[in-house]
Amino acid sequence: MFTYGNRLRVQVFGQSHSAGMGVVMDGFPAGIPVNTEGLAAFMERRAPGRNAFSTARKEPDKVEFLSGVVDGVTTGAPVSAVILNTDTRSKDYAKLADIPRPSHADLAAYFKYGSHRDHRGGGEFSGRLTAPLCVAGYLCMTYLETLGVRIGAHIASVGGVEDDRFSLEPAAEELLSPGKKDFPVLNEEKGKAMQEIILRAKGEADSVGGSIECAVTGIPAGTGDSSFGGMEGRIAPAMFGIPAVKGIEFGSGFAGCERRGSENNDPIRTDGTRIYTETNNAGGLMGGIANGMPVVFRVGIKPTPSIGKEQKSVSLSRMENTTLVIEGRHDPCIVQRAVPVVEAVAALAVADCLL
């Protein structure tokens, strides 16, 4: 199992083409209602086969709770849930047992596990494992809403086209509106331009990457700790648990690091009732601790490594150079499907901080 968290310990298990996969949550509070319809809708946002921008693999991703939920409410006991895999085509991956896919985890898995690795669909390294993460994240978002904390994300960029950014202090409608769309962006015209880039890459048997912006509102000022206990230090490792995430930045991020202090500092003000900052280049965090502004970060998503073009690789059995054309069903861009996953994983990290 893969484990994350301190107060809330989340364990994910399974492989892309195993009989199923699941999640166990130890430390989740009692009395939190589980809205099965809301959960199904959230899972649908991540699911494959929704449109021309994702893989044709069809999975219902029906969630079955095995423990920790009685009559639709959490009991305080460890919550465990499973999702069955129903549309696997393992034969599409037969030759990958000998020829690793460039930029996938295939080669690293061979170095670690040898011939015993599960090469079908990427095994434990597959983005398929984000489905149980979404189950845990949805429950955490339900819990966080009882505390007045909301989480929303949208596609920040695809192939060099950038969406609008969240406003300084986004209201619930702005924060959650992208998640109600088939293609989760703030600016519809920018979204259309992104879709054209994705379809062009798909038509050329290629893929494209991008980035996702996520904002968390309502986190009480003072949440988090210094040094290794800082909120950046809790959110970042969780985000790297999502396959294809290659980087993360908070607030103004790397661009802010190229500015002068007078340009990047956030002026501190008060309206007589609360203290706030005029800008949010800090991303809502100072010294690892929440300052009352929205926590804002962006993650970079690499292009899908599985492409239809001929690529250079090696035969592991013959130790010879060769070429590979990847077959099967793959996403030309996974950024849009990763948006709810980023929300879910952010919820895990924030819930772990607040419990």
Side-chain angles (χ1 to χ4, degrees), residues 33-46 61 63 65 72 134-139 141-142 145 179-180 340 343:
V34 179
N35 181 338
T36 54
E37 290 184 0
L39 173 59
F42 187 73
M43 298 299 292
E44 175 65 19
R45 290 175 57 197
R46 190 220 69 90
D61 285 351
V63 181
F65 288 97
C134 281
V135 177
Y138 179 81
L139 294 184
M141 282 189 280
T142 303
E145 286 181 3
K180 301 174 183 178
E343 294 174 354

Side-chain angles (χ1 to χ4, degrees), residues 54-74:
S54 65
T55 172
R57 179 175 177 176
K58 291 283 189 180
E59 291 285 359
D61 285 351
K62 183 178 180 180
V63 181
E64 180 180 356
F65 288 97
L66 303 182
S67 65
V69 179
V70 174
D71 295 329
V73 180
T74 59

Side-chain angles (χ1 to χ4, degrees), residues 175-221:
L175 196 66
L176 304 179
S177 63
K180 301 174 183 178
K181 302 175 183 178
D182 190 47
F183 196 78
V185 292
L186 294 170
N187 186 312
E188 297 286 352
E189 292 303 313
K190 299 288 185 65
K192 291 178 182 177
M194 294 178 189
Q195 293 174 45
E196 290 176 1
I197 290 174
I198 296 172
L199 292 177
R200 191 179 310 130
K202 180 180 180 180
E204 297 171 357
D206 215 331
S207 66
V208 65
S211 63
I212 295 169
E213 180 183 47
C214 183
V216 187
T217 63
I219 297 180

Side-chain angles (χ1 to χ4, degrees), residues 11-300:
Q11 296 179 309
V12 175
F13 61 89
Q15 294 93 40
S16 177
H17 286 212
S18 60
M21 56 202 165
V23 64
V24 179
M25 306 171 67
D26 188 12
F28 192 77
I32 304 302
V34 179
N35 181 338
T36 54
E37 290 184 0
L39 173 59
F42 187 73
M43 298 299 292
E44 175 65 19
R45 290 175 57 197
R46 190 220 69 90
R50 290 188 65 190
N51 50 44
F53 313 115
S54 65
T55 172
R57 179 175 177 176
K58 291 283 189 180
E59 291 285 359
D61 285 351
K62 183 178 180 180
V63 181
E64 180 180 356
F65 288 97
L66 303 182
S67 65
V69 179
V70 174
D71 295 329
V73 180
T74 59
T75 66
V79 175
S80 62
V82 294
I83 300 170
L84 298 182
N85 289 322
T86 62
D87 188 26
T88 58
R89 285 190 353 199
S90 299
K91 63 181 178 59
D92 290 343
Y93 299 87
K95 63 184 176 183
L96 303 184
D98 185 54
I99 305 175
R101 296 167 294 179
S103 291
H104 266 284
D106 297 356
L107 182 60
Y110 171 75
F111 289 145
K112 187 172 182 65
Y113 302 120
S115 61
H116 299 291
R117 73 195 187 285
D118 184 358
H119 66 276
R120 305 167 303 165
E124 67 194 69
F125 303 97
S126 171
R128 184 87 185 109
L129 272 294
T130 60
L133 270 180
C134 281
V135 177
Y138 179 81
L139 294 184
C140 285
M141 282 189 280
T142 303
Y143 161 67
L144 291 172
E145 286 181 3
T146 67
L147 306 179
V149 177
R150 287 189 172 89
I151 300 173
H154 68 102
I155 300 173
S157 68
V158 164
V161 175
E162 295 192 0
D163 190 18
D164 298 341
R165 296 291 176 87
F166 280 130
S167 59
L168 182 63
E169 296 188 77
E173 176 59 27
E174 178 186 356
L175 196 66
L176 304 179
S177 63
K180 301 174 183 178
K181 302 175 183 178
D182 190 47
F183 196 78
V185 292
L186 294 170
N187 186 312
E188 297 286 352
E189 292 303 313
K190 299 288 185 65
K192 291 178 182 177
M194 294 178 189
Q195 293 174 45
E196 290 176 1
I197 290 174
I198 296 172
L199 292 177
R200 191 179 310 130
K202 180 180 180 180
E204 297 171 357
D206 215 331
S207 66
V208 65
S211 63
I212 295 169
E213 180 183 47
C214 183
V216 187
T217 63
I219 297 180
T223 301
D225 296 293
S226 60
S227 189
F228 300 118
M231 290 198 69
E232 296 106 319
R234 297 194 186 194
I235 294 173
M239 288 298 151
F240 283 111
I242 303 173
V245 168
K246 299 302 290 183
I248 184 169
E249 62 177 9
F250 291 83
S252 61
F254 287 103
C257 296
E258 300 300 324
R259 301 172 184 167
R260 291 190 174 190
S262 57
E263 299 172 308
N264 197 61
N265 290 349
D266 296 313
I268 303 173
R269 310 302 293 162
T270 182
D271 58 10
T273 59
R274 72 180 186 114
I275 297 174
Y276 61 94
T277 60
E278 288 185 345
T279 55
N280 194 18
N281 292 318
L285 300 171
M286 296 173 173
I289 299 173
N291 64 11
M293 299 296 290
V295 172
V296 181
F297 62 90
R298 285 171 295 279
V299 294

